[in-house]
Amino acid sequence: MLAKKGKKSPYIDGETCEFRRRFLQIGLGATATLAMPNAFANVLKQPERTIALMNLHTGEQVKATYWAEGDYQADELHAIHRVLRDHRTGDIHEIDQNLIEMLNLLHHKMHGKQPFHVISGYRSPKTNQMLRKNSDGVAKKSLHMQGKAIDVRLPGRQLDELRKTALGLKVGGVGYYPGSEFIHIDTGRVRSWQG
């Protein structure tokens, strides 16, 4: 039986809800870890995981230790979400934690010394629709709208090398846009293309 909107279910108390939420997180985390290739194994064992990003549209930067003490850090994740917001509308959306892990691993494998330069993180449906009108390369159901895709470059590293390294992860999608000097990575199915 479902509780009416605005009322708590008489069958589920707060403690039970918290237990279920943590159980699902642990289960999903374990599933995601099993689905990821061995390349993630060493990075996921780190006691702390940090990512550095610079949004080229707003000039904002973040260096966030998003994983510490055996768990994701909510304040640090929020800082990442804020920097990766839709700069056109100001909308903030949760970024897929697997995408953040992919970025961390990519930075690690590239021996990056500088933050990723972000061309596009989260995109609101409104922004995505506007971009589709002006470009053939914007997907109608873009993973950017779900916080599961990002367009980046890494200063000090060749774009082609960044693409090859991302492809070598064998996780998600990798798009190569040499004319615009960025790669796209996402947490969708494994695939690649050139724009």
PDB file of all heavy atoms in Angstrom, residues 104-135:
ATOM      1  N   ASN A 104      38.894  10.638 -12.739  1.00  0.00           N
ATOM      2  CA  ASN A 104      40.022  10.435 -11.824  1.00  0.00           C
ATOM      3  C   ASN A 104      41.012   9.438 -12.415  1.00  0.00           C
ATOM      4  O   ASN A 104      42.223   9.677 -12.434  1.00  0.00           O
ATOM      5  CB  ASN A 104      39.499   9.949 -10.464  1.00  0.00           C
ATOM      6  CG  ASN A 104      40.611   9.739  -9.443  1.00  0.00           C
ATOM      7  OD1 ASN A 104      41.771  10.048  -9.680  1.00  0.00           O
ATOM      8  ND2 ASN A 104      40.241   9.210  -8.306  1.00  0.00           N
ATOM      9  N   LEU A 105      40.498   8.318 -12.914  1.00  0.00           N
ATOM     10  CA  LEU A 105      41.371   7.305 -13.499  1.00  0.00           C
ATOM     11  C   LEU A 105      42.082   7.826 -14.740  1.00  0.00           C
ATOM     12  O   LEU A 105      43.284   7.598 -14.926  1.00  0.00           O
ATOM     13  CB  LEU A 105      40.551   6.053 -13.846  1.00  0.00           C
ATOM     14  CG  LEU A 105      41.340   4.893 -14.434  1.00  0.00           C
ATOM     15  CD1 LEU A 105      42.435   4.421 -13.485  1.00  0.00           C
ATOM     16  CD2 LEU A 105      40.400   3.744 -14.780  1.00  0.00           C
ATOM     17  N   LEU A 106      41.364   8.547 -15.578  1.00  0.00           N
ATOM     18  CA  LEU A 106      41.962   9.110 -16.786  1.00  0.00           C
ATOM     19  C   LEU A 106      43.083  10.085 -16.432  1.00  0.00           C
ATOM     20  O   LEU A 106      44.165  10.053 -17.028  1.00  0.00           O
ATOM     21  CB  LEU A 106      40.872   9.802 -17.612  1.00  0.00           C
ATOM     22  CG  LEU A 106      41.237  10.293 -18.999  1.00  0.00           C
ATOM     23  CD1 LEU A 106      41.796   9.174 -19.865  1.00  0.00           C
ATOM     24  CD2 LEU A 106      40.006  10.928 -19.660  1.00  0.00           C
ATOM     25  N   HIS A 107      42.854  10.934 -15.446  1.00  0.00           N
ATOM     26  CA  HIS A 107      43.869  11.890 -14.994  1.00  0.00           C
ATOM     27  C   HIS A 107      45.092  11.148 -14.470  1.00  0.00           C
ATOM     28  O   HIS A 107      46.238  11.510 -14.780  1.00  0.00           O
ATOM     29  CB  HIS A 107      43.275  12.797 -13.909  1.00  0.00           C
ATOM     30  CG  HIS A 107      44.025  14.054 -13.694  1.00  0.00           C
ATOM     31  ND1 HIS A 107      45.000  14.175 -12.729  1.00  0.00           N
ATOM     32  CD2 HIS A 107      43.952  15.256 -14.324  1.00  0.00           C
ATOM     33  CE1 HIS A 107      45.494  15.399 -12.768  1.00  0.00           C
ATOM     34  NE2 HIS A 107      44.873  16.081 -13.723  1.00  0.00           N
ATOM     35  N   HIS A 108      44.834  10.108 -13.693  1.00  0.00           N
ATOM     36  CA  HIS A 108      45.914   9.288 -13.130  1.00  0.00           C
ATOM     37  C   HIS A 108      46.737   8.622 -14.240  1.00  0.00           C
ATOM     38  O   HIS A 108      47.969   8.671 -14.231  1.00  0.00           O
ATOM     39  CB  HIS A 108      45.302   8.247 -12.194  1.00  0.00           C
ATOM     40  CG  HIS A 108      46.269   7.281 -11.616  1.00  0.00           C
ATOM     41  ND1 HIS A 108      47.131   7.614 -10.595  1.00  0.00           N
ATOM     42  CD2 HIS A 108      46.529   5.974 -11.919  1.00  0.00           C
ATOM     43  CE1 HIS A 108      47.885   6.568 -10.294  1.00  0.00           C
ATOM     44  NE2 HIS A 108      47.539   5.565 -11.089  1.00  0.00           N
ATOM     45  N   LYS A 109      46.066   8.017 -15.206  1.00  0.00           N
ATOM     46  CA  LYS A 109      46.768   7.318 -16.294  1.00  0.00           C
ATOM     47  C   LYS A 109      47.521   8.281 -17.205  1.00  0.00           C
ATOM     48  O   LYS A 109      48.518   7.905 -17.802  1.00  0.00           O
ATOM     49  CB  LYS A 109      45.783   6.473 -17.098  1.00  0.00           C
ATOM     50  CG  LYS A 109      45.304   5.251 -16.341  1.00  0.00           C
ATOM     51  CD  LYS A 109      44.689   4.256 -17.292  1.00  0.00           C
ATOM     52  CE  LYS A 109      44.690   2.875 -16.732  1.00  0.00           C
ATOM     53  NZ  LYS A 109      45.966   2.207 -16.685  1.00  0.00           N
ATOM     54  N   MET A 110      47.040   9.510 -17.315  1.00  0.00           N
ATOM     55  CA  MET A 110      47.712  10.515 -18.145  1.00  0.00           C
ATOM     56  C   MET A 110      48.817  11.243 -17.386  1.00  0.00           C
ATOM     57  O   MET A 110      49.493  12.091 -17.942  1.00  0.00           O
ATOM     58  CB  MET A 110      46.690  11.554 -18.641  1.00  0.00           C
ATOM     59  CG  MET A 110      45.692  11.030 -19.655  1.00  0.00           C
ATOM     60  SD  MET A 110      46.446  10.564 -21.230  1.00  0.00           S
ATOM     61  CE  MET A 110      47.079  12.130 -21.817  1.00  0.00           C
ATOM     62  N   HIS A 111      48.986  10.931 -16.110  1.00  0.00           N
ATOM     63  CA  HIS A 111      49.952  11.619 -15.248  1.00  0.00           C
ATOM     64  C   HIS A 111      49.710  13.134 -15.329  1.00  0.00           C
ATOM     65  O   HIS A 111      50.654  13.921 -15.448  1.00  0.00           O
ATOM     66  CB  HIS A 111      51.393  11.265 -15.642  1.00  0.00           C
ATOM     67  CG  HIS A 111      51.663   9.790 -15.607  1.00  0.00           C
ATOM     68  ND1 HIS A 111      51.783   9.079 -14.445  1.00  0.00           N
ATOM     69  CD2 HIS A 111      51.783   8.888 -16.629  1.00  0.00           C
ATOM     70  CE1 HIS A 111      51.998   7.808 -14.727  1.00  0.00           C
ATOM     71  NE2 HIS A 111      51.999   7.657 -16.040  1.00  0.00           N
ATOM     72  N   GLY A 112      48.429  13.493 -15.268  1.00  0.00           N
ATOM     73  CA  GLY A 112      48.053  14.905 -15.375  1.00  0.00           C
ATOM     74  C   GLY A 112      48.552  15.725 -14.203  1.00  0.00           C
ATOM     75  O   GLY A 112      48.506  15.284 -13.057  1.00  0.00           O
ATOM     76  N   LYS A 113      49.029  16.912 -14.500  1.00  0.00           N
ATOM     77  CA  LYS A 113      49.516  17.831 -13.465  1.00  0.00           C
ATOM     78  C   LYS A 113      48.564  19.003 -13.263  1.00  0.00           C
ATOM     79  O   LYS A 113      48.628  19.698 -12.270  1.00  0.00           O
ATOM     80  CB  LYS A 113      50.903  18.378 -13.841  1.00  0.00           C
ATOM     81  CG  LYS A 113      51.947  17.323 -14.104  1.00  0.00           C
ATOM     82  CD  LYS A 113      52.305  16.564 -12.853  1.00  0.00           C
ATOM     83  CE  LYS A 113      53.425  15.570 -13.138  1.00  0.00           C
ATOM     84  NZ  LYS A 113      53.407  14.428 -12.255  1.00  0.00           N
ATOM     85  N   GLN A 114      47.693  19.244 -14.244  1.00  0.00           N
ATOM     86  CA  GLN A 114      46.770  20.370 -14.186  1.00  0.00           C
ATOM     87  C   GLN A 114      45.336  19.871 -14.146  1.00  0.00           C
ATOM     88  O   GLN A 114      45.067  18.713 -14.467  1.00  0.00           O
ATOM     89  CB  GLN A 114      46.983  21.266 -15.413  1.00  0.00           C
ATOM     90  CG  GLN A 114      48.380  21.871 -15.467  1.00  0.00           C
ATOM     91  CD  GLN A 114      48.502  22.849 -16.611  1.00  0.00           C
ATOM     92  OE1 GLN A 114      47.661  23.725 -16.775  1.00  0.00           O
ATOM     93  NE2 GLN A 114      49.541  22.691 -17.416  1.00  0.00           N
ATOM     94  N   PRO A 115      44.403  20.752 -13.768  1.00  0.00           N
ATOM     95  CA  PRO A 115      42.991  20.345 -13.762  1.00  0.00           C
ATOM     96  C   PRO A 115      42.485  20.081 -15.176  1.00  0.00           C
ATOM     97  O   PRO A 115      42.994  20.664 -16.142  1.00  0.00           O
ATOM     98  CB  PRO A 115      42.262  21.566 -13.176  1.00  0.00           C
ATOM     99  CG  PRO A 115      43.303  22.467 -12.627  1.00  0.00           C
ATOM    100  CD  PRO A 115      44.591  22.126 -13.298  1.00  0.00           C
ATOM    101  N   PHE A 116      41.473  19.221 -15.282  1.00  0.00           N
ATOM    102  CA  PHE A 116      40.774  19.084 -16.548  1.00  0.00           C
ATOM    103  C   PHE A 116      40.124  20.420 -16.884  1.00  0.00           C
ATOM    104  O   PHE A 116      39.560  21.074 -16.002  1.00  0.00           O
ATOM    105  CB  PHE A 116      39.658  18.036 -16.453  1.00  0.00           C
ATOM    106  CG  PHE A 116      40.113  16.623 -16.611  1.00  0.00           C
ATOM    107  CD1 PHE A 116      40.115  15.755 -15.529  1.00  0.00           C
ATOM    108  CD2 PHE A 116      40.515  16.139 -17.853  1.00  0.00           C
ATOM    109  CE1 PHE A 116      40.518  14.442 -15.679  1.00  0.00           C
ATOM    110  CE2 PHE A 116      40.915  14.824 -18.014  1.00  0.00           C
ATOM    111  CZ  PHE A 116      40.920  13.979 -16.916  1.00  0.00           C
ATOM    112  N   HIS A 117      40.188  20.817 -18.140  1.00  0.00           N
ATOM    113  CA  HIS A 117      39.420  21.962 -18.623  1.00  0.00           C
ATOM    114  C   HIS A 117      38.081  21.420 -19.111  1.00  0.00           C
ATOM    115  O   HIS A 117      38.043  20.550 -19.986  1.00  0.00           O
ATOM    116  CB  HIS A 117      40.150  22.677 -19.753  1.00  0.00           C
ATOM    117  CG  HIS A 117      41.286  23.511 -19.274  1.00  0.00           C
ATOM    118  ND1 HIS A 117      42.039  24.295 -20.115  1.00  0.00           N
ATOM    119  CD2 HIS A 117      41.803  23.704 -18.029  1.00  0.00           C
ATOM    120  CE1 HIS A 117      42.963  24.934 -19.420  1.00  0.00           C
ATOM    121  NE2 HIS A 117      42.845  24.579 -18.155  1.00  0.00           N
ATOM    122  N   VAL A 118      36.994  21.935 -18.548  1.00  0.00           N
ATOM    123  CA  VAL A 118      35.652  21.441 -18.848  1.00  0.00           C
ATOM    124  C   VAL A 118      34.988  22.354 -19.875  1.00  0.00           C
ATOM    125  O   VAL A 118      34.816  23.548 -19.654  1.00  0.00           O
ATOM    126  CB  VAL A 118      34.802  21.378 -17.567  1.00  0.00           C
ATOM    127  CG1 VAL A 118      33.385  20.909 -17.887  1.00  0.00           C
ATOM    128  CG2 VAL A 118      35.453  20.468 -16.532  1.00  0.00           C
ATOM    129  N   ILE A 119      34.611  21.762 -20.999  1.00  0.00           N
ATOM    130  CA  ILE A 119      33.891  22.480 -22.036  1.00  0.00           C
ATOM    131  C   ILE A 119      32.394  22.372 -21.767  1.00  0.00           C
ATOM    132  O   ILE A 119      31.653  23.332 -21.897  1.00  0.00           O
ATOM    133  CB  ILE A 119      34.242  21.931 -23.444  1.00  0.00           C
ATOM    134  CG1 ILE A 119      35.677  22.321 -23.833  1.00  0.00           C
ATOM    135  CG2 ILE A 119      33.300  22.474 -24.502  1.00  0.00           C
ATOM    136  CD1 ILE A 119      36.741  21.434 -23.335  1.00  0.00           C
ATOM    137  N   SER A 120      31.942  21.175 -21.382  1.00  0.00           N
ATOM    138  CA  SER A 120      30.522  20.958 -21.080  1.00  0.00           C
ATOM    139  C   SER A 120      30.385  19.848 -20.062  1.00  0.00           C
ATOM    140  O   SER A 120      30.927  18.762 -20.252  1.00  0.00           O
ATOM    141  CB  SER A 120      29.759  20.605 -22.364  1.00  0.00           C
ATOM    142  OG  SER A 120      28.388  20.474 -22.110  1.00  0.00           O
ATOM    143  N   GLY A 121      29.659  20.132 -18.984  1.00  0.00           N
ATOM    144  CA  GLY A 121      29.328  19.122 -17.985  1.00  0.00           C
ATOM    145  C   GLY A 121      27.844  18.820 -18.091  1.00  0.00           C
ATOM    146  O   GLY A 121      27.378  18.329 -19.108  1.00  0.00           O
ATOM    147  N   TYR A 122      27.105  19.184 -17.041  1.00  0.00           N
ATOM    148  CA  TYR A 122      25.657  19.001 -17.086  1.00  0.00           C
ATOM    149  C   TYR A 122      25.036  19.981 -18.079  1.00  0.00           C
ATOM    150  O   TYR A 122      25.487  21.117 -18.198  1.00  0.00           O
ATOM    151  CB  TYR A 122      25.039  19.226 -15.703  1.00  0.00           C
ATOM    152  CG  TYR A 122      23.533  19.302 -15.762  1.00  0.00           C
ATOM    153  CD1 TYR A 122      22.786  18.167 -16.073  1.00  0.00           C
ATOM    154  CD2 TYR A 122      22.864  20.496 -15.560  1.00  0.00           C
ATOM    155  CE1 TYR A 122      21.398  18.226 -16.169  1.00  0.00           C
ATOM    156  CE2 TYR A 122      21.475  20.565 -15.653  1.00  0.00           C
ATOM    157  CZ  TYR A 122      20.758  19.433 -15.952  1.00  0.00           C
ATOM    158  OH  TYR A 122      19.394  19.506 -16.054  1.00  0.00           O
ATOM    159  N   ARG A 123      24.020  19.510 -18.806  1.00  0.00           N
ATOM    160  CA  ARG A 123      23.235  20.354 -19.710  1.00  0.00           C
ATOM    161  C   ARG A 123      21.762  20.175 -19.382  1.00  0.00           C
ATOM    162  O   ARG A 123      21.270  19.043 -19.358  1.00  0.00           O
ATOM    163  CB  ARG A 123      23.415  19.917 -21.157  1.00  0.00           C
ATOM    164  CG  ARG A 123      24.507  20.600 -21.880  1.00  0.00           C
ATOM    165  CD  ARG A 123      24.407  20.228 -23.360  1.00  0.00           C
ATOM    166  NE  ARG A 123      25.730  19.949 -23.851  1.00  0.00           N
ATOM    167  CZ  ARG A 123      26.029  19.034 -24.746  1.00  0.00           C
ATOM    168  NH1 ARG A 123      25.091  18.286 -25.281  1.00  0.00           N
ATOM    169  NH2 ARG A 123      27.253  18.862 -25.131  1.00  0.00           N
ATOM    170  N   SER A 124      21.070  21.263 -19.157  1.00  0.00           N
ATOM    171  CA  SER A 124      19.624  21.182 -18.936  1.00  0.00           C
ATOM    172  C   SER A 124      18.953  20.797 -20.255  1.00  0.00           C
ATOM    173  O   SER A 124      19.518  21.023 -21.331  1.00  0.00           O
ATOM    174  CB  SER A 124      19.084  22.524 -18.454  1.00  0.00           C
ATOM    175  OG  SER A 124      19.210  23.490 -19.487  1.00  0.00           O
ATOM    176  N   PRO A 125      17.749  20.234 -20.211  1.00  0.00           N
ATOM    177  CA  PRO A 125      17.025  19.931 -21.453  1.00  0.00           C
ATOM    178  C   PRO A 125      16.862  21.182 -22.332  1.00  0.00           C
ATOM    179  O   PRO A 125      16.959  21.093 -23.558  1.00  0.00           O
ATOM    180  CB  PRO A 125      15.674  19.402 -20.965  1.00  0.00           C
ATOM    181  CG  PRO A 125      15.998  18.791 -19.628  1.00  0.00           C
ATOM    182  CD  PRO A 125      17.049  19.701 -19.037  1.00  0.00           C
ATOM    183  N   LYS A 126      16.647  22.320 -21.702  1.00  0.00           N
ATOM    184  CA  LYS A 126      16.487  23.578 -22.453  1.00  0.00           C
ATOM    185  C   LYS A 126      17.756  23.902 -23.240  1.00  0.00           C
ATOM    186  O   LYS A 126      17.709  24.230 -24.425  1.00  0.00           O
ATOM    187  CB  LYS A 126      16.155  24.718 -21.483  1.00  0.00           C
ATOM    188  CG  LYS A 126      15.980  26.066 -22.137  1.00  0.00           C
ATOM    189  CD  LYS A 126      15.657  27.127 -21.099  1.00  0.00           C
ATOM    190  CE  LYS A 126      15.532  28.489 -21.751  1.00  0.00           C
ATOM    191  NZ  LYS A 126      15.234  29.542 -20.761  1.00  0.00           N
ATOM    192  N   THR A 127      18.906  23.805 -22.583  1.00  0.00           N
ATOM    193  CA  THR A 127      20.181  24.076 -23.253  1.00  0.00           C
ATOM    194  C   THR A 127      20.453  23.045 -24.337  1.00  0.00           C
ATOM    195  O   THR A 127      20.893  23.389 -25.434  1.00  0.00           O
ATOM    196  CB  THR A 127      21.338  24.092 -22.228  1.00  0.00           C
ATOM    197  OG1 THR A 127      21.166  25.219 -21.367  1.00  0.00           O
ATOM    198  CG2 THR A 127      22.689  24.176 -22.901  1.00  0.00           C
ATOM    199  N   ASN A 128      20.178  21.779 -24.038  1.00  0.00           N
ATOM    200  CA  ASN A 128      20.429  20.729 -25.029  1.00  0.00           C
ATOM    201  C   ASN A 128      19.599  20.956 -26.286  1.00  0.00           C
ATOM    202  O   ASN A 128      20.097  20.822 -27.406  1.00  0.00           O
ATOM    203  CB  ASN A 128      20.135  19.349 -24.433  1.00  0.00           C
ATOM    204  CG  ASN A 128      20.833  18.249 -25.187  1.00  0.00           C
ATOM    205  OD1 ASN A 128      22.052  18.119 -25.135  1.00  0.00           O
ATOM    206  ND2 ASN A 128      20.066  17.449 -25.899  1.00  0.00           N
ATOM    207  N   GLN A 129      18.346  21.354 -26.104  1.00  0.00           N
ATOM    208  CA  GLN A 129      17.477  21.624 -27.253  1.00  0.00           C
ATOM    209  C   GLN A 129      18.003  22.797 -28.075  1.00  0.00           C
ATOM    210  O   GLN A 129      18.015  22.757 -29.303  1.00  0.00           O
ATOM    211  CB  GLN A 129      16.048  21.904 -26.774  1.00  0.00           C
ATOM    212  CG  GLN A 129      15.065  22.087 -27.909  1.00  0.00           C
ATOM    213  CD  GLN A 129      13.645  22.317 -27.408  1.00  0.00           C
ATOM    214  OE1 GLN A 129      13.402  22.510 -26.222  1.00  0.00           O
ATOM    215  NE2 GLN A 129      12.690  22.294 -28.323  1.00  0.00           N
ATOM    216  N   MET A 130      18.454  23.844 -27.389  1.00  0.00           N
ATOM    217  CA  MET A 130      19.004  25.011 -28.077  1.00  0.00           C
ATOM    218  C   MET A 130      20.259  24.632 -28.867  1.00  0.00           C
ATOM    219  O   MET A 130      20.420  25.031 -30.027  1.00  0.00           O
ATOM    220  CB  MET A 130      19.327  26.107 -27.055  1.00  0.00           C
ATOM    221  CG  MET A 130      19.874  27.397 -27.648  1.00  0.00           C
ATOM    222  SD  MET A 130      21.679  27.454 -27.818  1.00  0.00           S
ATOM    223  CE  MET A 130      22.202  27.398 -26.117  1.00  0.00           C
ATOM    224  N   LEU A 131      21.130  23.826 -28.271  1.00  0.00           N
ATOM    225  CA  LEU A 131      22.352  23.400 -28.950  1.00  0.00           C
ATOM    226  C   LEU A 131      22.047  22.501 -30.142  1.00  0.00           C
ATOM    227  O   LEU A 131      22.734  22.566 -31.162  1.00  0.00           O
ATOM    228  CB  LEU A 131      23.294  22.686 -27.974  1.00  0.00           C
ATOM    229  CG  LEU A 131      23.910  23.564 -26.878  1.00  0.00           C
ATOM    230  CD1 LEU A 131      24.673  22.702 -25.877  1.00  0.00           C
ATOM    231  CD2 LEU A 131      24.797  24.643 -27.473  1.00  0.00           C
ATOM    232  N   ARG A 132      21.016  21.672 -30.033  1.00  0.00           N
ATOM    233  CA  ARG A 132      20.621  20.796 -31.148  1.00  0.00           C
ATOM    234  C   ARG A 132      20.179  21.603 -32.365  1.00  0.00           C
ATOM    235  O   ARG A 132      20.404  21.192 -33.495  1.00  0.00           O
ATOM    236  CB  ARG A 132      19.485  19.865 -30.719  1.00  0.00           C
ATOM    237  CG  ARG A 132      19.969  18.602 -30.046  1.00  0.00           C
ATOM    238  CD  ARG A 132      18.833  17.669 -29.671  1.00  0.00           C
ATOM    239  NE  ARG A 132      17.938  17.331 -30.771  1.00  0.00           N
ATOM    240  CZ  ARG A 132      18.208  16.450 -31.733  1.00  0.00           C
ATOM    241  NH1 ARG A 132      19.378  15.838 -31.762  1.00  0.00           N
ATOM    242  NH2 ARG A 132      17.315  16.184 -32.674  1.00  0.00           N
ATOM    243  N   LYS A 133      19.572  22.740 -32.126  1.00  0.00           N
ATOM    244  CA  LYS A 133      19.113  23.588 -33.238  1.00  0.00           C
ATOM    245  C   LYS A 133      20.293  24.171 -34.013  1.00  0.00           C
ATOM    246  O   LYS A 133      20.173  24.492 -35.181  1.00  0.00           O
ATOM    247  CB  LYS A 133      18.238  24.730 -32.711  1.00  0.00           C
ATOM    248  CG  LYS A 133      16.876  24.273 -32.255  1.00  0.00           C
ATOM    249  CD  LYS A 133      16.057  25.444 -31.746  1.00  0.00           C
ATOM    250  CE  LYS A 133      14.702  24.977 -31.237  1.00  0.00           C
ATOM    251  NZ  LYS A 133      13.920  26.071 -30.657  1.00  0.00           N
ATOM    252  N   ASN A 134      21.438  24.314 -33.318  1.00  0.00           N
ATOM    253  CA  ASN A 134      22.606  24.952 -33.923  1.00  0.00           C
ATOM    254  C   ASN A 134      23.703  23.979 -34.338  1.00  0.00           C
ATOM    255  O   ASN A 134      24.722  24.402 -34.867  1.00  0.00           O
ATOM    256  CB  ASN A 134      23.192  25.992 -32.955  1.00  0.00           C
ATOM    257  CG  ASN A 134      22.197  27.080 -32.625  1.00  0.00           C
ATOM    258  OD1 ASN A 134      21.453  27.538 -33.488  1.00  0.00           O
ATOM    259  ND2 ASN A 134      22.164  27.489 -31.369  1.00  0.00           N
ATOM    260  N   SER A 135      23.517  22.674 -34.063  1.00  0.00           N
ATOM    261  CA  SER A 135      24.580  21.712 -34.356  1.00  0.00           C
ATOM    262  C   SER A 135      24.004  20.328 -34.626  1.00  0.00           C
ATOM    263  O   SER A 135      23.032  19.920 -33.986  1.00  0.00           O
ATOM    264  CB  SER A 135      25.550  21.632 -33.174  1.00  0.00           C
ATOM    265  OG  SER A 135      26.471  20.592 -33.345  1.00  0.00           O
TER     266      SER A 135
END
